[in-house]
């Protein structure tokens, strides 16, 4: 028929038709999402792994039992080939969704080369965290999971396992990947992990939803397990770094977010890190992967290595004596899949040398196939099952883009505004916009970003308010090795108002590149101060960056009237910033990290200690750091004023009811949390209400942060100066009051780790604080 048709028409027309037909068939093949157990194939009825009435474990075991040794080994890497004789398609374990579905990596599991060309790009995580709004985090993850399914149903994905969230503690301000995290606090990071995992995987916000058919919407993977927060600093790389971590810091800081991610979020994936922890590579540590994650925390899912993390155990760290030893180390530790090809290349010889058994391989494969089954990829055509109604039209939908705008609005932090320079008047004024970050859309996204639905720069958004705003780049780039100071000064002199949009980008901070400086790069400071000095009125300084920068010079300069931190605010960040600039939105974000002065760079980044010491070590994060700060953790201003007052406390004394309390070096009696039991912990709780009043002239959304401190505080360096115990947001009109309630539990909030990493609760007086208001609470042992 085709040849007959071609014979009757002209050659050029024939070529066009043939091309269209080829494209049609290719699109048809591509548009069907890969899956196994297609109902149209009668042979699938012979396989137990296709029977949805059987348990996930039994189905996974059936698949594994049918594989040859070579087929088994082939499945131990992220780019797992198909098994045609069983109708099992190829699978890509590596996909990214840090703050939106992304096509990142050398062999990305996601492609934007078909019907779906882009995905909603939310703010980078560090800015999202500044909203201190768990429900917002959950909604963002819901959208990311839904869009992931939309891309998969369009036939543009090879997998549904996403290697996010990054829940490492942002311990050091120089860390290039700090931008990917929820910040420096374990409580915030743990809450973010739970909200993200539940949202992405299709759970409810409270974690009580029964997933339809047990299916995951998408699979979340908490990374990088554990104590990972150095990439490349002064010649030391993450590949060889040996993180020396005390038992107390491990229990109190580095592990809690992962424990929350697994126990409460029920994540279906974990990624073990490159680095060693106290001499042992994370991916080769059975205590970490098997005894802790699977044993103590009841992890149910798969464990992947970071990319090429298995090879470095032999090649770079020298921990294993042979490649086969490296394979044995990770498989016996409990790792399941290798990002890279190392297991594919060396497992066969490790098996022949009896360094691993086929049972070790089977264990890993059962975990892997179990997750694919839970994703519904062995139940026939996914488009006809749960989540099958999610279409390409659901990707970049108006409601999703509106959520990206909401997230950027609620995260942006007003750092300085003593004279109420902001918001600027909307009346037509002469406005100059200066700076290398003013008109670059890509910078707004941060790292691990896919193509966004929209591109609107801050300058574009500002010109929506002031059409004739004059723009000058100011620097040749963010590095600012060359600054056009004279031209910028001339423009500033002729304008009524000046907005400087400065900061960092991915040339300054990113994966595999930590900073060595906390100052703004190059001649940025010279440009800012020169423009501020020449301007008719105080200027606005906007910082687009992930990690903290020392802007003490601007904080103390009266000619710089306002400072705004915009993080990397995502695809809608330019619009959100302009709305804040001109008063269409009242900023409410609060810093999720401490901003340190430049001299903090004298502290070695390799020092993992959280607590300060008598030798001059200042400690880290707001909990333990003793030293000057540029801006505090939790700092954030508003266009209105909020006041707090404690309204009630259900119990002002809590009893631990321990028959044999112990005594520490301070002569304080204490109880072990592990020995209290669930019933005692549930009893030792109290509820506290805080009245929040908007005393200003503008409505706003305001995160309320509650901290706790022991009466002995950080006297000897073993206890935190203070610890965040809860946060909630409240939306108030001008003059309106609202009540916020927190539940404080002894076992959850008033405990700390002792020197051997055991969580204890000490007797004595504690103080709950919100702003300047304080309420005492007594614990008796």
């Amino acid at each position: 028929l085709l040849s007959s048709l071609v014979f009757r028409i002209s050659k050029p027309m024939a070529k066009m038709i043939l091309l269209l037909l080829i494209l049609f068939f290719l699109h048809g093949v591509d548009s069907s999402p890969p899956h196994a157990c297609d109902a149209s194939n009668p042979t699938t009825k012979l396989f137990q792994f296709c029977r949805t009435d059987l348990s996930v474990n039994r189905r996974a075991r059936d698949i594994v039992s049918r594989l040859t040794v070579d087929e088994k080994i082939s499945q131990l890497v992220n780019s797992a080939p198909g098994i045609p004789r069983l109708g099992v398609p190829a699978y890509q374990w590596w996909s990214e969704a840090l703050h939106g579905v992304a096509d990142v990596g050398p062999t990305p599991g996601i492609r934007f080369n078909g019907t779906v060309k882009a995905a909603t790009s939310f703010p980078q995580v560090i800015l999202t965290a500044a909203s201190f709004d768990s429900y917002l985090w959950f909604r963002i993850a819901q959208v990311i999971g839904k869009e992931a399914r939309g891309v998969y149903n369009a036939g543009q994905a090879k997998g549904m396992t996403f290697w996010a969230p990054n829940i490492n503690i942002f311990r050091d301000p120089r860390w290039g990947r700090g931008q990917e995290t929820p910040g420096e606090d374990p409580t915030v990071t743990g809450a973010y992990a739970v909200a993200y995992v539940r949202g992405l995987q299709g759970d409810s916000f409270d974690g009580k939803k029964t997933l339809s058919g047990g299916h995951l919407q998408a699979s979340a993977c908490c990374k990088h397990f554990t104590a990972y927060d150095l990439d490349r600093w002064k010649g030391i790389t993450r590949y060889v770094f040996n993180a020396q971590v005390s038992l107390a810091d491990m229990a109190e800081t580095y592990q809690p977010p992962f424990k929350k991610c697994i126990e409460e979020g029920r994540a279906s994936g974990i990624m073990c890190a490159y680095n060693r922890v106290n001499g042992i590579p994370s991916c080769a540590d059975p205590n970490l992967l098997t005894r802790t994650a699977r044993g103590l925390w009841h992890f149910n899912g798969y464990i992947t290595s970071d990319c090429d993390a298995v090879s470095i155990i032999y090649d770079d760290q020298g921990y294993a004596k042979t490649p086969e030893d490296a394979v044995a180390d990770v498989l016996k530790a409990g790792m399941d899949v290798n990002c890279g090809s190392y297991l594919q290349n060396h497992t066969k010889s490790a098996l022949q040398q009896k360094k691993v058994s086929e049972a070790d391989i089977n264990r890993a494969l059962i975990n892997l196939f179990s997750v694919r089954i839970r994703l519904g990829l062995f139940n026939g055509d996914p488009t006809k099952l749960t989540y099958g109604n999610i279409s390409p039209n659901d990707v970049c939908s108006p409601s999703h883009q509106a959520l990206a705008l909401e997230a950027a609005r609620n995260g942006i932090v007003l750092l300085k505004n003593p004279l109420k320079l902001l918001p600027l008047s909307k009346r037509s004024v002469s406005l100059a916009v200066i700076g290398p970050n003013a008109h670059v859309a890509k910078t707004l996204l941060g790292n691990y970003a896919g193509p966004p639905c929209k591109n609107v720069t801050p300058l574009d958004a500002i010109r929506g308010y002031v059409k004739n705003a004059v723009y000058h780049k100011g620097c040749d780039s963010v590095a600012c090795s060359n600054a056009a100071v004279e031209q910028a000064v001339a423009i500033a002199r002729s304008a009524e108002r000046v907005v400087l949009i400065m900061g960092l980008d991915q040339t300054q901070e990113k994966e595999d590149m930590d900073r060595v400086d906390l100052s703004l790069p190059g001649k940025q400071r010279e440009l800012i101060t020169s423009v501020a000095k020449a301007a008719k009125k105080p200027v606005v300084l906007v910082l687009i960056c992930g990690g903290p920068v020392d802007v003490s010079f601007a904080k103390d300069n009266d000619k710089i009237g306002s400072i705004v931190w915009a993080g990397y605010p995502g695809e809608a960040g330019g619009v959100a910033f302009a709305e804040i600039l001109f008063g269409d939105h009242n900023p409410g974000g609060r810093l999720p990290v401490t901003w340190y002065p430049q001299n903090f760079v004298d502290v070695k980044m390799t020092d993992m200690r959280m607590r300060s010491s008598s030798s001059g070590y200042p400690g880290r994060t707001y909990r333990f750091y003793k030293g000057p700060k540029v801006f505090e953790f939790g700092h954030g201003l508003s266009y209105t004023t909020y006041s707090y007052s404690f309204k009630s406390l259900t119990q002002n004394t809590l009893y631990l009811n321990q028959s044999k309390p112990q005594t520490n070096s301070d002569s304080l009696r204490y109880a072990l949390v592990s020995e209290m039991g669930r019933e005692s912990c549930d009893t030792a709780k109290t509820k506290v209400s805080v009245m929040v009043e908007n005393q200003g002239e503008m409505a706003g959304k305001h995160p309320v942060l509650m901290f706790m401190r022991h009466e002995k505080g950080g006297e000897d360096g073993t206890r935190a100066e203070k610890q965040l115990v809860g946060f909630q947001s409240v939306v108030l009109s001008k003059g309106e009051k609202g009540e916020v309630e927190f539940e404080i539990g002894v076992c959850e909030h008033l405990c700390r780790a002792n020197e051997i990493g055991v969580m204890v609760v000490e007797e004595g007086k504690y103080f709950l604080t919100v702003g300047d208001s304080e309420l005492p609470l007594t614990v008796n042992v």
Side-chain angles (χ1 to χ4, degrees), residues 4 288 481 494 714:
S4 175
L288 187 67
S481 55
S494 64

Side-chain angles (χ1 to χ4, degrees), residues 35-53:
H35 59 277
C37 303
D38 199 308
S40 63
N41 182 352
T43 61
T44 61
K45 296 178 181 178
L46 303 175
F47 302 142
Q48 284 194 6
F49 66 76
C50 290
R51 287 181 52 183
T52 58
D53 60 317

Side-chain angles (χ1 to χ4, degrees), residues 412-419 561-563 580 586-591 631 634-642 701-703:
I412 292 173
V413 182
L414 179 62
L415 296 173
K416 175 186 177 182
N417 198 35
L419 302 177
S562 300
I563 304 175
I580 289 171
N586 188 358
R590 305 180 72 169
L591 290 179
F631 292 109
H635 175 72
L637 306 174
S638 168
Y639 293 155
T640 191
T641 303
Y642 299 96
K701 179 181 178 182
H702 181 62

Side-chain angles (χ1 to χ4, degrees), residues 421-433 462-471 491-492 494-499 536-537 540 581-582:
L421 169 62
L422 292 181
L424 299 179
S425 171
K426 295 178 190 175
R427 283 174 291 196
S428 182
V429 295
S430 171
L431 180 67
V433 180
I462 289 171
R463 282 178 171 164
Y465 288 87
V466 181
K467 185 176 181 181
N468 298 318
V470 177
Y471 164 63
I491 291 170
S494 64
E496 289 298 315
R497 294 292 188 188
V498 177
V499 178
K536 296 177 183 178
K537 297 178 182 177
V540 178
L581 188 69
F582 291 98

Side-chain angles (χ1 to χ4, degrees), residues 91 101 138-153 159-162 195-204 209 211-220 268 371 373-377 382 386-390 394 400:
Y91 189 82
V101 181
F138 171 77
R139 290 161 59 211
I140 289 170
Q142 269 188 318
V143 166
I144 295 172
K146 187 174 184 179
E147 292 200 350
R149 271 289 170 177
V151 174
Y152 191 83
N153 289 342
M160 283 296 291
T161 38
F162 294 88
Y196 180 95
V197 170
R198 286 177 177 173
L200 189 89
Q201 294 192 163
D203 204 341
S204 59
K209 179 180 177 181
L211 300 180
S212 178
H215 293 178
L216 300 170
Q217 177 176 245
S219 169
S268 50
V371 171
I373 291 169
R374 290 169 65 193
L375 285 164
L377 307 184
T386 306
Y387 308 118
N389 61 343
I390 300 174
D394 292 303
H400 293 180

Side-chain angles (χ1 to χ4, degrees), residues 7 48 202 231 282 288 372 412 472 531 537 542 682 704 761:
F7 182 79
Q48 284 194 6
D231 271 58
S282 294
L288 187 67
R372 291 173 67 175
I412 292 173
H472 193 280
V531 167
K537 297 178 182 177
V542 182
D682 288 343
V704 181
V761 181

Side-chain angles (χ1 to χ4, degrees), residues 581-706:
L581 188 69
F582 291 98
D584 279 341
H585 182 77
N586 188 358
R590 305 180 72 169
L591 290 179
V593 286
T594 302
W595 283 34
Y596 301 86
Q598 167 63 18
N599 63 11
F600 190 84
V601 299
D602 295 336
V603 178
K604 290 183 179 179
M605 194 173 173
T606 51
D607 197 324
M608 300 291 290
R609 289 178 294 168
M610 300 303 297
R611 291 158 170 78
S612 60
S613 71
S614 57
S615 63
Y617 181 69
R620 293 177 184 271
T621 79
Y622 78 93
R623 294 182 302 140
F624 298 104
Y625 172 65
K626 293 183 177 179
K629 306 175 185 72
V630 180
F631 292 109
E632 300 234 2
F633 172 91
H635 175 72
L637 306 174
S638 168
Y639 293 155
T640 191
T641 303
Y642 299 96
S643 66
Y644 313 102
S645 60
F646 283 97
K647 184 181 177 184
S648 64
L649 185 68
T650 55
Q651 297 181 71
N652 56 20
T653 302
L654 298 176
Y655 298 91
L656 302 184
N657 299 321
Q658 288 292 293
S659 58
K660 296 180 180 180
Q662 302 182 51
T663 304
N664 63 19
S665 57
D666 291 335
S667 299
L668 288 177
R669 293 191 301 172
Y670 67 90
L672 303 179
V673 173
S674 60
E675 293 183 359
M676 287 183 62
R678 176 169 293 184
E679 186 175 342
S680 295
C681 285
D682 288 343
T683 302
K685 290 184 178 180
T686 185
K687 291 184 178 179
V688 56
S689 295
V690 178
M691 186 61 71
V692 186
E693 182 178 0
N694 183 344
Q695 297 180 325
E697 295 298 316
M698 190 173 184
K701 179 181 178 182
H702 181 62
V704 181
L705 276 55
M706 178 174 284

Side-chain angles (χ1 to χ4, degrees), residues 127 404-414 422-424 431-434 437-438 444 456-463 465 498-502 540-544 562-567 569-587 639:
L127 189 78
L405 177 58
E406 179 186 342
R409 285 171 179 155
N410 292 339
I412 292 173
V413 182
L414 179 62
L422 292 181
L424 299 179
L431 180 67
V433 180
I434 299 169
N437 274 338
L444 302 181
V456 180
T457 69
L459 178 65
D460 291 334
I462 289 171
R463 282 178 171 164
Y465 288 87
V498 177
V499 178
L500 287 147
I501 304 182
M502 314 297 286
V540 178
L541 173 61
V542 182
L543 300 167
I544 294 178
S562 300
I563 304 175
V564 177
W565 176 61
E571 66 172 46
V575 174
F577 162 69
E579 289 180 348
I580 289 171
L581 188 69
F582 291 98
D584 279 341
H585 182 77
N586 188 358
Y639 293 155

